[in-house]
Structures are given as C-alpha cells and as structure tokens.
Amino acid sequence: MNITSISDVNKNAARTLLGFDFGTTRIGIAVGQEITATATPLNPIKARDGIPNWDTIAAVVKEWQPDGFVVGLPLNMDGSENEMCQRAKKFANRLHGRYNKPSYMMDERLSSYEAKGQVIREGGNRNFKANSVDGLAAQMILESWFLENQE
C-alpha cells in the first residue's frame, strides 16, 4: 500500500497570491488562495503616474505573506502590447525584485469593464472615480489566473 504524506501533496495548491490591477492613479489589489481558486478584493492603493507608495505595498505584503504576485497585463483588444503593458511588466519586475517572490502576468483585457458591469448589475454606485472597481478587477485577474493555471 502506497501512502502519500502531506508533504508530498502539491505544495502549489496552498499558495497565497496577491493580484494587482495596475493603473497610473490607482492600483487594485486582491488576495487569493490557489487551493480554492478564489480571491477577495482589498482596498486599492493610490499611485502617482503609475508609481505606487511602496510602503503601502510593503504593509500589504507583510499582512498577507503571499507566495507570489499576479499582475494584470492590459493588452489591446487585438492582443498587441501598448505602453501600459510595459509599465505593468516593470511593476511586476519590481515586486519580484523587492520581495524575491515570483511574479506572473495575466491578460486583463476587459477586467475593469467586467468589474463595472458587475457593480451596475448589483445596483452599485456608477461613480467609478469615487467608488473604485480596481480591487474587483484585481480579484477577477487573480481568479482568472487560478483557473488558467490549475493542475
């Protein structure tokens, strides 16, 4: 009889990841568990021309102790890259460099659009400047990544 020990179970299945919806004025954040393939939006952080307050990100990383990061890649609808893609990749590289944890990119086309649609369907406030959907978009990005990377 072959018995599998807990240490032999897929170690990736229990990973905690932080997802990011990169933006120039706000960055959406979500935390998720790979084992359940679900994520929860967190409060977005402010950015200045795409530069976040790294102290705020450090506090989030310290609180959630993620095993890695997933950053949305804002491709054009035809799949081509644009300037924002380069900035999102730079942000992902900085996360990796600062925290020595893997960073993954995830196609985020329509994530903000879908997040706004969800808020409207649920009867939420349509003032998206005051009522950010960035955390919800980060949640969608992270959950999409989980679904695409299930083993």
Side-chain angles (χ1 to χ4, degrees):
M1 182 175 189
N2 187 6
I3 298 178
T4 303
S5 73
I6 291 293
S7 63
D8 292 335
V9 174
N10 182 354
K11 291 177 178 68
N12 288 345
R15 291 192 303 175
T16 297
L17 297 174
L18 286 176
F20 294 90
D21 178 33
F22 179 81
T24 56
T25 59
R26 277 191 307 246
I27 298 172
I29 307 174
V31 62
Q33 298 294 322
E34 199 163 22
I35 197 164
T36 60
T38 60
T40 303
L42 303 175
N43 288 329
I45 61 168
K46 291 184 179 178
R48 278 200 156 150
D49 194 29
I51 300 169
N53 179 331
W54 286 102
D55 292 337
T56 303
I57 291 180
V60 172
V61 169
K62 183 177 180 181
E63 179 178 354
W64 293 102
Q65 298 291 307
D67 298 296
F69 309 102
V70 176
V71 177
L73 187 63
L75 296 167
N76 293 321
M77 290 308 294
D78 66 2
S80 63
E81 292 196 8
N82 55 60
E83 179 193 346
M84 284 300 289
C85 290
Q86 298 309 314
R87 296 179 79 172
K89 287 180 178 180
K90 185 176 181 179
F91 175 70
N93 287 335
R94 288 196 171 150
L95 286 169
H96 171 71
R98 284 175 181 258
Y99 302 106
N100 196 28
K101 302 205 183 280
S103 283
Y104 309 98
M105 301 305 296
M106 179 66 202
D107 180 352
E108 71 158 59
R109 281 177 282 184
L110 300 178
S111 64
S112 293
Y113 177 79
E114 288 176 18
K116 289 176 182 177
Q118 182 175 328
V119 168
I120 291 168
R121 282 190 305 277
E122 294 173 359
N125 190 318
R126 292 176 184 237
N127 181 350
F128 299 118
K129 291 270 189 222
N131 301 290
S132 168
V133 295
D134 299 306
L136 188 55
Q139 175 187 7
M140 292 176 173
I141 291 164
L142 190 50
E143 289 179 348
S144 295
W145 188 88
F146 287 145
L147 291 174
E148 281 197 10
N149 291 280
Q150 286 180 337
E151 293 185 8

